Amino acid sequence: MPLDLWKYYHVTHAKHVFCNPTSAEKMDRLCGLLRLRQGSKVADIGCGKGELMMRLARQYDIEAIGVDISPFVIKELTEEVAKRGLDDKITALLMDGAKFKPDAPEAFDLSICLGATWIWGDYRGALVALKGLAKPGGIIVVGEPFWVLTPDKECIKALGIKKEAFSESHYINITKAEELGLKCIYAMVSNQDEWDDYETRQWWAVDDYALNHADDPDLPEIIVKKEKDKENYLKWQRSRLGWAIYAFRKQ
């Protein structure tokens, strides 16, 4: 059987709090800027471990729904929500985020998708979907890569993606959203240290997993895949790919 990608991501992100190349300090800064009202409603699609939702729930006493297709992260999120005493604030749903339909349209004060815009096909599709979830005047927070340097054919082949998978620049990520009637009110661009921390934590996590799960039949494939990902990051992605988290206001 082929390797379960959700298991692979669960193993590789074991040492992560936030599953993207952004520091906890920056995420806390974003939380402080959001200034949500008590009782605000939040939807996080492709929520992963749900750390952002949990911090917002603790800081602002909001209600949040986290949606993810991975049973591994939903299990982890459910356990962590109970541990932090947030059962009445956060609901975790195991499902395809593209199929999530709230009881009413434009129901959320804040809609989020960090690094999972592929759920709706591409970045633009994600913006349209998140805009549909947010109330007029609400905020949309999106995390998305962009090309810092235009990739050549060898890079594209090695990564196994199309150049069009990501926008040509940070600027284009913002203009694509503003063309849809969203106003960019904040952006956080990750630096090299944040990228390296995000990627190299995965190397360490796989190394730990190999030491403690030598009998896992998936282990050889996990190691091979991570070594390939490691090579691609060092050779191609590190110099060419950027990442930013954007906050947009729905007009």
Side-chain angles (χ1 to χ4, degrees), residues 192-245:
Q192 196 65 73
D193 179 69
E194 289 168 307
W195 263 116
D196 285 345
D197 181 73
Y198 172 69
E199 291 290 337
T200 60
R201 280 177 187 264
Q202 296 182 48
W203 307 350
W204 200 328
V206 171
D207 188 66
D208 278 355
Y209 189 81
L211 289 173
N212 296 306
H213 299 84
D215 59 344
D216 184 346
D218 290 327
L219 181 59
E221 194 170 355
I222 290 172
I223 292 173
V224 168
K225 180 168 172 53
K226 179 41 62 184
E227 285 301 309
K228 182 62 176 177
D229 289 347
K230 178 179 178 180
E231 179 184 2
N232 282 338
Y233 174 68
L234 293 172
K235 188 174 181 179
W236 303 110
Q237 290 173 279
R238 192 174 188 272
S239 60
R240 290 168 173 80
L241 201 60
W243 164 268
I245 292 177

Side-chain angles (χ1 to χ4, degrees), residues 7 22-23 25 27 31 37 78-79 86 91 96 103 112 115 127 139 145 166 192 197 202 219 226 232 237:
K7 176 181 178 178
T22 309
S23 68
E25 292 76 16
M27 296 302 287
C31 288
R37 294 187 179 90
T78 301
E79 292 172 351
L86 297 172
T91 301
D96 179 350
D103 294 335
I112 305 168
L127 292 171
I139 294 175
F166 307 124
Q192 196 65 73
D197 181 73
Q202 296 182 48
L219 181 59
K226 179 41 62 184
N232 282 338
Q237 290 173 279

Side-chain angles (χ1 to χ4, degrees), residues 122-141:
D122 57 19
Y123 176 59
R124 188 183 187 283
L127 292 171
V128 170
L130 294 168
K131 180 181 178 182
L133 293 175
K135 296 177 179 178
I139 294 175
I140 295 162
V141 170

Side-chain angles (χ1 to χ4, degrees), residues 158-178:
L159 299 181
I161 61 174
K162 295 181 179 179
K163 185 178 72 172
E164 295 75 23
F166 307 124
S167 295
E168 298 93 327
S169 67
H170 173 52
Y171 167 72
I172 296 298
N173 269 350
I174 292 175
T175 57
K176 282 183 178 179
E178 295 196 329

Side-chain angles (χ1 to χ4, degrees), residues 11-187:
V11 170
T12 57
H13 288 74
K15 293 183 178 294
H16 291 71
V17 176
F18 294 101
C19 297
N20 63 72
T22 309
S23 68
E25 292 76 16
K26 280 186 177 177
M27 296 302 287
D28 283 339
R29 184 198 309 167
L30 176 62
C31 288
L33 286 168
L34 285 169
R35 297 187 179 277
L36 298 172
R37 294 187 179 90
Q38 182 179 11
S40 291
K41 298 190 182 301
V42 175
D44 190 344
I45 313 300
C47 65
K49 297 184 179 184
E51 183 66 27
L52 178 56
M53 285 189 303
M54 290 187 283
R55 294 193 184 198
L56 290 173
R58 182 68 72 194
Q59 186 168 347
Y60 293 114
D61 191 22
I62 53 92
E63 297 179 10
I65 296 175
V67 180
D68 205 285
I69 200 170
S70 167
F72 297 95
V73 295
I74 289 296
K75 180 177 183 294
E76 187 172 345
L77 172 57
T78 301
E79 292 172 351
E80 192 62 26
V81 164
K83 181 180 176 181
R84 300 191 196 185
L86 297 172
D87 303 75
D88 60 333
K89 301 298 179 187
I90 295 177
T91 301
L93 299 179
L94 176 62
M95 64 180 296
D96 179 350
K99 297 179 180 179
F100 172 67
K101 304 295 180 186
D103 294 335
E106 302 183 319
F108 295 95
D109 300 280
L110 171 64
S111 58
I112 305 168
C113 180
L114 299 180
T117 58
W118 51 265
I119 289 171
W120 298 279
D122 57 19
Y123 176 59
R124 188 183 187 283
L127 292 171
V128 170
L130 294 168
K131 180 181 178 182
L133 293 175
K135 296 177 179 178
I139 294 175
I140 295 162
V141 170
V142 187
E144 179 73 1
F146 57 90
W147 294 115
V148 175
L149 295 174
T150 302
D152 55 27
K153 291 181 179 179
E154 189 178 0
C155 172
I156 291 298
K157 182 179 179 180
L159 299 181
I161 61 174
K162 295 181 179 179
K163 185 178 72 172
E164 295 75 23
F166 307 124
S167 295
E168 298 93 327
S169 67
H170 173 52
Y171 167 72
I172 296 298
N173 269 350
I174 292 175
T175 57
K176 282 183 178 179
E178 295 196 329
E179 287 169 359
L180 294 171
L182 301 173
K183 183 178 182 180
C184 187
I185 55 176
Y186 192 65

